Structures are given as C-alpha cells and as structure tokens.
Amino acid sequence: MNLLGIYLNDHLAAATGGVERARHMARSSAGTELATALEPLAAELAEDRAALLALMRRLDVPVRPYKVYAGRLAERVGRLKGNGRIVRRSPLSPLVELEALRLEAEGRAALWQTLRDLADRDERLDPDHLDHLLERTRRQQGALEELRRRRIVPVLTPEPAPSPASR
C-alpha cells in the first residue's frame, strides 16, 4: 500500500471512532441539551466519513477493514476509562468525550487541508468539495469547543465545603 493509502486508512479509522463516539454520547445523554446538539453533529460526522470513503474509491485506495475495526474498538475501549463511578456515567465523561471529538475534528481538518493541497496536482480531487468539507469541519470544531467549555465550570468546580453551622 502506498503512503497515501496508509494515511487515508488511518483517518478512516479515526473517523469511524469519531462517529461511534458522537452517536454514543447522543444516546447516553438523550433528552438533554447535549443530545440535541450532538445528534446533528453525529449525522455530519457520518457524512464526513462517507465523503472520505468516496474519496478513497476515487483515488483507488482500498479500505483496510482491520483499521476500521481498530477505530471501533478504540472507541469502545475508551468507554471503559476510570471515571470515579461504577454503575452510571460520571459528570466528567461528557467533558472528556467532547475533548476526544474535538481532537478527532482537528485531525479531520488536517486531512481535508492535506487533500486540498494535493488537489492542485490530482484531478481526481475536487478542490471546491474539499473546501466545503474543511469549512464544515471548522464549524464543527467551534461547536464542539463551545459544548466543551460549557461543561468546564459545572463539572470541575469543587463543591463548597459544608459550613460548620449546617453540620
């Protein structure tokens, strides 16, 4: 496999994990403002993954199924992290998971920019389509960052110690 094929399959693995993570977060926070924000984002991430698969077909890059499985497995293993809770999700989980999605979006933006740079030399790549994907990913980065920042203070601010009078 050539280096471009390895590169694209690595990004496909990350995109697979990102889609799985966003869908899991939306399901696990059903009925909340977070789920309302994540449901359309998860759909967009799935569209971005499909766009990557279409580009891989256009570039005659075969999908390496073991990398796709690795992306799924990494996302599921990530759910097992210690979070201070045994039975239910920790309030910290959404913050950490939003950071993971934000990092995946950062990598995806780099992917689209890399392919955009190659589009000047490869007629199989549509510069306008790549510009659209890059713009959408940058918007997603902003939305994820806003969601993440809204959770910092409520999650990481220590509870005030009980006053002596309330004991």
mmCIF file of all heavy atoms in Angstrom, residues 153-154 156-164 166-167:
data_model
loop_
_atom_site.group_PDB
_atom_site.id
_atom_site.type_symbol
_atom_site.label_atom_id
_atom_site.label_comp_id
_atom_site.label_asym_id
_atom_site.label_seq_id
_atom_site.Cartn_x
_atom_site.Cartn_y
_atom_site.Cartn_z
ATOM 1 N N VAL A 153 -16.844 24.559 34.061
ATOM 2 C CA VAL A 153 -17.128 25.079 35.408
ATOM 3 C C VAL A 153 -18.085 24.161 36.164
ATOM 4 O O VAL A 153 -17.795 23.781 37.305
ATOM 5 C CB VAL A 153 -17.631 26.534 35.350
ATOM 6 C CG1 VAL A 153 -18.132 27.001 36.710
ATOM 7 C CG2 VAL A 153 -16.515 27.444 34.840
ATOM 8 N N PRO A 154 -19.218 23.762 35.579
ATOM 9 C CA PRO A 154 -20.115 22.887 36.355
ATOM 10 C C PRO A 154 -19.491 21.560 36.762
ATOM 11 O O PRO A 154 -19.806 21.023 37.821
ATOM 12 C CB PRO A 154 -21.301 22.639 35.421
ATOM 13 C CG PRO A 154 -21.219 23.668 34.374
ATOM 14 C CD PRO A 154 -19.793 24.116 34.283
ATOM 15 N N LEU A 156 -15.967 20.783 36.910
ATOM 16 C CA LEU A 156 -14.667 20.803 37.586
ATOM 17 C C LEU A 156 -14.573 21.766 38.760
ATOM 18 O O LEU A 156 -13.537 21.811 39.417
ATOM 19 C CB LEU A 156 -13.559 21.122 36.571
ATOM 20 C CG LEU A 156 -13.403 20.079 35.457
ATOM 21 C CD1 LEU A 156 -12.307 20.502 34.496
ATOM 22 C CD2 LEU A 156 -13.126 18.699 36.018
ATOM 23 N N THR A 157 -15.624 22.505 39.039
ATOM 24 C CA THR A 157 -15.606 23.379 40.206
ATOM 25 C C THR A 157 -15.938 22.547 41.431
ATOM 26 O O THR A 157 -16.974 21.873 41.477
ATOM 27 C CB THR A 157 -16.625 24.527 40.063
ATOM 28 O OG1 THR A 157 -16.309 25.248 38.869
ATOM 29 C CG2 THR A 157 -16.591 25.447 41.260
ATOM 30 N N PRO A 158 -15.066 22.574 42.442
ATOM 31 C CA PRO A 158 -15.333 21.765 43.645
ATOM 32 C C PRO A 158 -16.601 22.229 44.361
ATOM 33 O O PRO A 158 -16.939 23.403 44.356
ATOM 34 C CB PRO A 158 -14.105 21.992 44.533
ATOM 35 C CG PRO A 158 -13.133 22.761 43.724
ATOM 36 C CD PRO A 158 -13.830 23.320 42.529
ATOM 37 N N GLU A 159 -17.266 21.264 44.943
ATOM 38 C CA GLU A 159 -18.436 21.568 45.776
ATOM 39 C C GLU A 159 -17.951 22.342 47.003
ATOM 40 O O GLU A 159 -16.921 22.007 47.571
ATOM 41 C CB GLU A 159 -19.101 20.275 46.251
ATOM 42 C CG GLU A 159 -19.570 19.373 45.128
ATOM 43 C CD GLU A 159 -21.003 19.662 44.741
ATOM 44 O OE1 GLU A 159 -21.764 20.154 45.592
ATOM 45 O OE2 GLU A 159 -21.335 19.413 43.571
ATOM 46 N N PRO A 160 -18.684 23.372 47.398
ATOM 47 C CA PRO A 160 -18.255 24.085 48.618
ATOM 48 C C PRO A 160 -18.383 23.177 49.835
ATOM 49 O O PRO A 160 -19.279 22.353 49.926
ATOM 50 C CB PRO A 160 -19.223 25.268 48.718
ATOM 51 C CG PRO A 160 -20.331 24.982 47.749
ATOM 52 C CD PRO A 160 -19.868 23.919 46.808
ATOM 53 N N ALA A 161 -17.434 23.319 50.727
ATOM 54 C CA ALA A 161 -17.452 22.529 51.961
ATOM 55 C C ALA A 161 -18.637 22.984 52.806
ATOM 56 O O ALA A 161 -18.976 24.170 52.831
ATOM 57 C CB ALA A 161 -16.152 22.706 52.724
ATOM 58 N N PRO A 162 -19.294 22.056 53.497
ATOM 59 C CA PRO A 162 -20.417 22.447 54.351
ATOM 60 C C PRO A 162 -19.929 23.386 55.452
ATOM 61 O O PRO A 162 -18.847 23.201 56.009
ATOM 62 C CB PRO A 162 -20.952 21.145 54.909
ATOM 63 C CG PRO A 162 -19.990 20.078 54.514
ATOM 64 C CD PRO A 162 -19.020 20.646 53.527
ATOM 65 N N SER A 163 -20.742 24.378 55.721
ATOM 66 C CA SER A 163 -20.367 25.318 56.780
ATOM 67 C C SER A 163 -20.562 24.645 58.133
ATOM 68 O O SER A 163 -21.382 23.738 58.294
ATOM 69 C CB SER A 163 -21.220 26.571 56.697
ATOM 70 O OG SER A 163 -22.568 26.258 56.945
ATOM 71 N N PRO A 164 -19.805 25.062 59.151
ATOM 72 C CA PRO A 164 -19.946 24.456 60.483
ATOM 73 C C PRO A 164 -21.362 24.557 61.014
ATOM 74 O O PRO A 164 -21.827 23.690 61.746
ATOM 75 C CB PRO A 164 -18.966 25.241 61.333
ATOM 76 C CG PRO A 164 -18.022 25.883 60.371
ATOM 77 C CD PRO A 164 -18.760 26.050 59.097
ATOM 78 N N SER A 166 -24.109 24.213 59.392
ATOM 79 C CA SER A 166 -25.042 23.258 58.770
ATOM 80 C C SER A 166 -24.771 21.823 59.203
ATOM 81 O O SER A 166 -25.454 20.921 58.762
ATOM 82 C CB SER A 166 -24.955 23.376 57.244
ATOM 83 O OG SER A 166 -23.677 22.989 56.802
ATOM 84 N N ARG A 167 -23.813 21.596 60.062
ATOM 85 C CA ARG A 167 -23.499 20.232 60.477
ATOM 86 C C ARG A 167 -24.370 19.770 61.577
ATOM 87 O O ARG A 167 -24.937 20.166 62.401
ATOM 88 C CB ARG A 167 -22.054 20.114 60.931
ATOM 89 C CG ARG A 167 -21.135 20.198 59.751
ATOM 90 C CD ARG A 167 -19.728 19.922 60.213
ATOM 91 N NE ARG A 167 -18.834 20.425 59.189
ATOM 92 C CZ ARG A 167 -17.552 20.607 59.370
ATOM 93 N NH1 ARG A 167 -16.986 20.330 60.507
ATOM 94 N NH2 ARG A 167 -16.817 21.038 58.411
#
